[in-house]
Amino acid sequence: MVATAAAAPIQGDEDSAKRRQILDGARAVFLEFGFDGASMGEIARAAGVSKGTLYVYFADKNSLFCEIVEQESLVQGMLSFDFVADRGIEATLQAFGNAYIGLICSPRGASAIRTVMAIAERMPDIGRRYYERVIANTIGRFARYLESQVAGGMLRIDDCELAAAQFMQTCQATLFLPFIFQTSEPPSPERIARVVDSAAAMFLAAYRAPKTNSN
């Protein structure tokens, strides 16, 4: 774990606003220069604070980046996606797939992924934290939705975690890797929808429970 510097007592609202100001400045610097190219001096200038103030809130560049990863985790962890139980499975798959790909194929989402991947070997704690809070968290929430559909007799899946990961990977096909390696622009919503629709059709062909004859 990376410790932050001890700070003198500051009023809560002022502390929160100043912290957001610093994080906004740091995020801009990391986006422009990457982790290795960013400096605490440049971050202080971008945030409009003195270096002394910066060090009151954050001990070093590592702790600043960890805080930004925490924020990105909340955004990219799909915590706000609502797996509505009574919505049709196909509609849920399509809505989730479009939201998921729209997020990881956005400039902000891709920048966070590239940065974490670039430093994960040297800072494995950050890599693990990002994986657990973003990727594993998303797979887990989706798998729990699939389990509820299996229990309701709508799907037939032996391993819901595997099925969740399969769907997410299929949604990435032809979209994520070309974008993350900067060989293409962010995919259009129409292109994302076409790929996600195909992924949903493949998923349901494999996992939809067969209809039983009521006669």
Side-chain angles (χ1 to χ4, degrees):
M1 298 293 294
V2 181
T4 55
I10 303 174
Q11 293 298 321
D13 289 346
E14 179 186 349
D15 181 41
S16 179
K18 186 66 68 176
R19 194 176 189 86
R20 286 196 302 271
Q21 180 181 336
I22 291 170
L23 290 170
D24 287 344
R27 183 178 289 104
V29 172
F30 284 130
L31 284 173
E32 182 174 357
F33 299 106
F35 180 83
D36 291 327
S39 69
M40 291 295 273
E42 189 63 41
I43 290 169
R45 283 191 290 275
V49 300
S50 68
K51 286 184 71 173
T53 298
L54 179 58
Y55 281 111
V56 167
Y57 288 86
F58 296 97
D60 52 28
K61 185 170 66 172
N62 290 6
S63 61
L64 243 176
F65 186 75
C66 283
E67 181 79 10
I68 291 173
V69 168
E70 292 292 331
Q71 290 192 351
E72 292 299 322
S73 296
L74 294 176
V75 174
Q76 294 193 44
M78 304 298 290
L79 298 179
S80 63
F81 187 84
D82 189 8
F83 289 100
V84 180
D86 58 358
R87 181 170 50 193
I89 296 174
E90 185 172 10
T92 297
L93 293 175
Q94 291 168 339
F96 172 67
N98 277 279
Y100 170 63
I101 297 302
L103 197 58
I104 66 172
C105 287
S106 68
R108 175 174 171 172
S111 178
I113 293 168
R114 291 187 191 109
T115 303
V116 172
M117 290 175 66
I119 67 174
E121 185 173 356
R122 289 180 288 125
M123 302 171 67
D125 283 348
I126 290 181
R128 282 193 293 268
R129 183 181 305 182
Y130 186 87
Y131 180 84
E132 291 168 358
R133 292 176 178 252
V134 178
I135 301 171
N137 176 63
T138 305
I139 292 172
R141 291 187 67 247
F142 184 27
R144 288 190 291 275
Y145 164 77
L146 296 179
E147 288 167 358
S148 72
Q149 297 302 308
V150 171
M154 304 302 295
L155 297 174
R156 181 176 292 177
I157 303 174
D158 293 328
D159 187 336
C160 287
E161 188 169 323
L162 172 61
Q166 287 173 333
F167 177 72
M168 291 164 62
Q169 289 291 323
T170 307
C171 287
Q172 293 182 24
T174 73
L175 301 176
F176 178 67
L177 288 180
F179 178 60
I180 203 71
F181 288 109
Q182 303 188 67
T183 65
S184 69
E185 295 297 316
S188 68
E190 294 77 18
R191 174 62 179 160
I192 293 174
R194 285 198 298 274
V195 174
V196 169
D197 286 353
S198 176
M202 292 175 63
F203 184 90
L204 292 174
Y207 290 124
R208 194 193 294 271
K211 293 181 179 180
T212 58
N213 210 336
S214 58
N215 293 332

